Amino acid sequence: MALLEFPLAPALRINLGKRAGVTGGLLGVLCVFAEFCFLFPHVLVSNDGRAFYVEHLGVFRGILQVSIVVTFLLGAFSVLTLRSKAHGVIAMVLAMVAMLLGGGEAEPLTHTPRAMSAGLDFFALDLLVLGLVFIPMERLWGLHEQRIFRPGWQTDLKHFFVSHVGVQLISFAVLIPVQVFLSWAVRMDFQQHVAAQPVWLQFFEILLVIDLVSYWVHRAFHKVPWLWNFHAIHHSPLHMDWLASSRSHVVDVLVNRFAGFVPVFLLGFHPSAIYGYLVFVSFHAVYIHANVNHRWPYLRWVFATPEFHHWHHTSDEEGIDKNFAVFLSFIDVIFGTAHQPAHWPSRYGTTQFQPPETYLGQLAYPFKRHEKTPYG
Ligand SMILES: [Zn+2]
């Protein structure tokens, strides 16, 4: 097939064609996933999200329809601009499959929910929203020169997939043990007092309480050798960006959620404040890993910024075992572990043992013998 004569330099045309093909392919996968969510909501749609989707069905159908059209156009552009047609054709085929599965007229989610379901909806929507927010942000305020599809992105996407699709399983694995073993410690009158406070005040109280607990849990993950072997996975990316935030061993995720949930459960905050915290912190956690040059003068000593957390991920000697806080960076100032010099870190990753790059290799990594800990 003859390539279209776009008024573009050949290098730019190839570059744009590749990006269109890969982006179209990924968006196409999300569209097909979304169609599956409409077809099999009782298995694939998170129970928490179901009522919200049904209430705003027109909006979600519209998003799906637009995404399918964009997928097809990106694929077509890639096919017309590149000699290698694979990505473009895959994107176009995925768009057509999504249309055949129902397109924007997909059946409403009326099936009866089951007790446990996968969060495929959560995966597709969160990836779409985070990609739309953070990819342009990293283009506008990029810190390091690097590609969107930099080395290791497939592994990070697998971590992102598992943590989102398994969201309910992870939540149950944390909530049930806490409720079973700690219900004796609950004081109803005290909890009613806590939940009666203004929601915004409870939001800040949750931030403070969870951050104080997380700080010490995080520090333990760095200092206790066998714990470090789990946490090393999160420190293994050599490139920082929004997607690198999702790389964590599932044991690391479970322990952190457990440690954060215990004080929230005992204090009895109102669900609105807890949901507000979860939405806020999930965006913030992605932001501080992003490849952006935001420094937030002065405020960086109060809350965690990209600069603050990039120093936590560095393998430069001066930044080792610094900046443990999740959100409130002044906790590191209080405990003497804050480090934010005038320059940015030069490299990222672990210092001695680099975990493997494959997803399954990373899952198995903590269970294999390591003679020394990387920071030991
Ligand atoms: Zn760490």
Side-chain angles (χ1 to χ4, degrees):
M1 191 197 291
L3 297 181
L4 272 197
E5 285 300 318
F6 286 96
L8 297 169
L12 181 61
R13 176 175 57 77
I14 291 170
N15 195 343
L16 287 177
K18 279 183 181 166
R19 284 165 191 245
V22 174
T23 310
L26 283 174
L27 192 59
V29 170
L30 295 188
C31 291
V32 172
F33 280 179
E35 296 291 349
F36 281 138
C37 288
F38 276 98
L39 290 171
F40 309 107
H42 50 305
V43 187
L44 298 175
V45 175
S46 55
N47 290 332
D48 289 341
R50 189 183 309 266
F52 184 74
Y53 300 139
V54 172
E55 203 176 314
H56 302 90
L57 195 61
V59 175
F60 287 101
R61 279 178 161 176
I63 293 171
L64 184 53
Q65 185 67 60
V66 170
S67 302
I68 293 172
V69 172
V70 171
T71 300
F72 191 85
L73 292 177
L74 287 170
F77 179 77
S78 181
V79 165
L80 292 172
T81 50
L82 291 184
R83 279 187 210 293
S84 159
K85 313 291 183 198
H87 284 109
V89 169
I90 289 171
M92 290 168 78
V93 168
L94 286 169
M96 285 189 271
V97 169
M99 280 306 290
L100 286 174
L101 290 172
E105 295 302 309
E107 285 299 305
L109 308 121
T110 48
H111 295 73
T112 319
R114 291 182 180 180
M116 183 77 82
S117 61
L120 194 63
D121 56 315
F122 184 37
F123 165 76
L125 280 175
D126 207 25
L127 191 62
L128 192 68
V129 170
L130 294 176
L132 286 176
V133 170
F134 286 102
I135 292 173
M137 193 189 277
E138 292 186 346
R139 294 290 105 184
L140 274 174
W141 294 289
L143 172 64
H144 301 291
E145 188 78 30
Q146 68 189 37
R147 289 176 291 142
I148 296 172
F149 299 106
R150 41 74 188 166
W153 73 269
Q154 294 102 325
T155 306
D156 294 347
L157 189 59
K158 287 172 193 164
H159 282 282
F160 189 90
F161 181 81
V162 171
S163 62
H164 282 70
V165 169
V167 61
Q168 206 187 343
L169 202 61
I170 293 171
S171 297
F172 279 16
V174 171
L175 304 191
I176 291 171
V178 174
Q179 284 165 351
V180 168
F181 294 111
L182 285 176
S183 53
W184 59 269
V186 170
R187 297 284 171 273
M188 288 309 288
D189 48 345
F190 176 73
Q191 290 204 338
Q192 282 164 0
H193 197 68
V194 169
Q197 300 173 100
V199 170
W200 64 265
L201 181 60
Q202 292 184 58
F203 173 85
F204 286 109
E205 288 169 351
I206 295 172
L207 264 186
L208 182 63
V209 170
I210 294 188
D211 251 65
L212 277 171
V213 174
S214 303
Y215 174 88
W216 289 104
V217 171
H218 192 177
R219 220 167 144 170
F221 265 99
H222 276 248
K223 292 297 181 187
V224 180
W226 66 272
L227 283 176
W228 165 256
N229 288 332
F230 288 100
H231 190 54
I233 305 303
H234 183 63
H235 280 266
S236 66
L238 302 175
H239 302 85
M240 292 289 280
D241 68 2
W242 65 281
L243 194 56
S245 63
S246 58
R247 186 183 291 202
S248 283
H249 197 283
V250 67
V251 172
D252 193 349
V253 173
L254 285 172
V255 171
N256 270 291
R257 300 263 172 95
F258 185 85
F261 182 61
V262 167
V264 170
F265 175 75
L266 293 179
L267 293 169
F269 291 104
H270 193 278
S272 311
I274 298 174
Y275 280 124
Y277 169 81
L278 290 175
V279 170
F280 172 76
V281 89
S282 61
F283 260 91
H284 174 263
V286 176
Y287 173 62
I288 58 176
H289 291 86
N291 178 34
V292 291
N293 58 12
H294 299 170
R295 303 201 76 159
W296 296 89
Y298 306 109
L299 287 172
R300 64 188 180 147
W301 298 105
V302 180
F303 63 79
T305 63
E307 180 194 18
F308 176 86
H309 199 63
H310 277 229
W311 273 111
H312 180 68
H313 274 265
T314 189
S315 53
D316 292 343
E317 180 66 32
E318 60 177 306
I320 302 296
D321 289 349
K322 304 287 187 209
N323 301 0
F324 293 105
V326 173
F327 183 73
L328 300 170
S329 56
F330 68 78
I331 296 178
D332 278 280
V333 177
I334 293 169
F335 295 118
T337 46
H339 182 74
Q340 298 191 83
H343 54 283
W344 286 82
S346 64
R347 58 203 164 110
Y348 305 101
T350 52
T351 53
Q352 287 184 31
F353 293 98
Q354 183 67 17
E357 264 303 306
T358 62
Y359 179 77
L360 290 177
Q362 293 183 356
L363 271 191
Y365 177 79
F367 304 103
K368 296 185 171 169
R369 276 186 83 82
H370 306 288
E371 286 166 8
K372 279 193 285 183
T373 57
Y375 290 171

